[in-house]
Amino acid sequence: MAVGVAAITKHLSHDALLTLIQYRSDPHAPGVAIVRGLPIDDDLPATPADGEPSGDKRTYVSEAIALGVATLIGEPYAFRAEKGGRLVHDIVPVRGKENAHSNAGSLEPLGFHTEAAAFGDAAPEYVLLFGLRADHDRLACTLTADVRDAQRRLAPDHLRQLRSRAYELQAPESFSDNGVNYSRLTSVITGPEDAPQVIVNMDRMRGVTAAAAEALQSFGEVLAHPDVLRRTYIVPGDLVVIANRRAVHGRTTFAPRWDGRDRWLQRVYVTPTLWSLRHLSDGRRAVAVELQGAAA
């Protein structure tokens, strides 16, 4: 971690460092921050085709940068059931999973969601997405939306519904693929009006009543409104910091070519403190969410 902090202090301006430090402690900060022009490895190998780390990557510049930023704003950590419990996740299209609604997919859009939303307080406070390689056709946009912008456009009846505990939320597809079959009832929006929290996964959530389902559909439409939606085409050296409790994200479709030059991001989860997760931790910053069982 110390190497990562040294790396970012070398490559970030004083103002950028202050912005990131303040970002972690201001609940009214924007839902998304973007740092551009960060260094990545000079000799980047072929994009891994299976979602696992590349065995040909001989340097770790990108990992050091991503973990350095993560350490500035909190504590990097992982889930044992996601990417083998590694702190840095390689986000690439995986052959055979093109239609998955997960980080392995490509030909299907990835719906608006908050990361690991089904796991309550174990979900990350921040999600970092670091660009190593863009897709060939420059079609893969990361979509983000701040819940405060969306909330202002919701009809009062829909907002009241979204604040009710009337939504069944399943574990993300990538977790269920690894044996984590978990669901819970939750509200979509909670907290004070000027600093709301959002918990959602449009691909893995349903309203348990007709009124709740209607409100959830309306929420999805509002998130896609031009005044709410933000599109970010991540290029090499871009690092996107998503405040996971006040912003949602998704991804448009793109077509992999399986030629070693496909889109490649790296992702890191960040929590404010590991103390609250100590009963789920294996001592390696990896949380065993499967120990929580099913909730209702």
Side-chain angles (χ1 to χ4, degrees):
M1 302 298 178
V3 173
V5 172
I8 63 165
T9 54
K10 177 181 177 181
H11 292 285
L12 287 181
S13 68
H14 177 72
D15 288 345
L17 286 170
L18 283 180
T19 297
L20 283 172
I21 292 169
Q22 292 168 355
Y23 190 72
R24 69 181 181 185
S25 59
D26 183 0
H28 301 288
V32 180
I34 303 174
V35 182
R36 302 191 188 277
L38 291 169
I40 63 171
D41 307 73
D42 291 331
D43 187 18
L44 197 64
T47 300
D50 56 2
E52 298 296 312
S54 169
D56 297 323
K57 196 170 189 289
R58 304 304 181 193
T59 56
Y60 302 97
V61 175
S62 61
E63 289 86 353
I65 293 292
L67 289 172
V69 172
T71 303
L72 260 190
I73 62 177
E75 295 284 352
Y77 77 116
F79 294 101
R80 282 170 56 187
E82 175 78 329
K83 298 289 187 180
R86 293 183 293 275
L87 288 180
V88 179
H89 306 159
D90 292 285
I91 306 301
V92 299
V94 175
R95 191 188 291 271
K97 294 188 176 182
E98 295 91 336
N99 296 311
H101 295 281
S102 73
N103 62 80
S106 51
L107 298 182
E108 290 288 330
L110 185 59
F112 290 115
H113 64 285
T114 48
E115 199 76 20
F119 304 129
D121 290 340
E125 184 85 8
Y126 300 102
V127 178
L128 310 187
L129 299 175
F130 191 26
L132 275 65
R133 182 172 284 141
D135 66 296
H136 295 83
D137 302 313
R138 296 183 171 266
L139 295 176
C141 277
T142 297
L143 309 176
T144 57
D146 192 308
V147 66
R148 292 163 295 188
D149 295 333
Q151 185 175 248
R152 287 190 283 270
R153 288 189 162 272
L154 286 166
D157 287 349
H158 288 160
L159 181 56
R160 280 193 292 272
Q161 280 292 329
L162 292 168
R163 285 182 170 274
S164 69
R165 195 166 175 264
Y167 298 89
E168 183 184 32
L169 177 60
Q170 295 179 319
E173 187 172 316
S174 57
F175 283 79
S176 61
D177 287 347
N178 289 310
V180 180
N181 297 310
Y182 180 94
S183 66
R184 61 186 291 226
L185 284 179
T186 183
S187 305
V188 174
I189 298 175
T190 60
E193 186 174 346
D194 66 337
Q197 177 171 326
V198 59
I199 300 172
V200 72
N201 186 326
M202 300 301 288
D203 296 327
R204 306 282 289 177
M205 175 180 263
R206 69 177 187 92
V208 298
T209 67
E214 178 184 307
L216 185 61
Q217 180 179 347
S218 175
F219 186 49
E221 293 168 354
V222 166
L223 291 172
H225 191 279
D227 291 341
V228 177
L229 180 66
R230 299 291 179 266
R231 294 174 176 268
T232 302
Y233 184 79
I234 301 177
V235 301
D238 283 358
L239 189 139
V240 178
V241 183
I242 301 168
N244 193 48
R245 300 191 191 279
R246 57 182 181 265
V248 303
H249 65 284
R251 189 211 66 238
T252 60
T253 63
F254 65 101
R257 297 185 187 176
W258 317 115
D259 61 354
R261 305 291 297 176
D262 282 320
R263 185 177 190 252
W264 186 359
L265 307 182
Q266 288 185 325
R267 180 181 67 190
V268 179
Y269 293 155
V270 184
T271 186
T273 174
L274 293 168
W275 179 254
S276 60
L277 302 179
R278 65 194 184 281
H279 62 297
L280 300 172
S281 175
D282 63 358
R284 297 185 306 108
R285 295 175 175 261
V287 173
V289 293
E290 64 266 33
L291 297 181
Q292 294 181 342

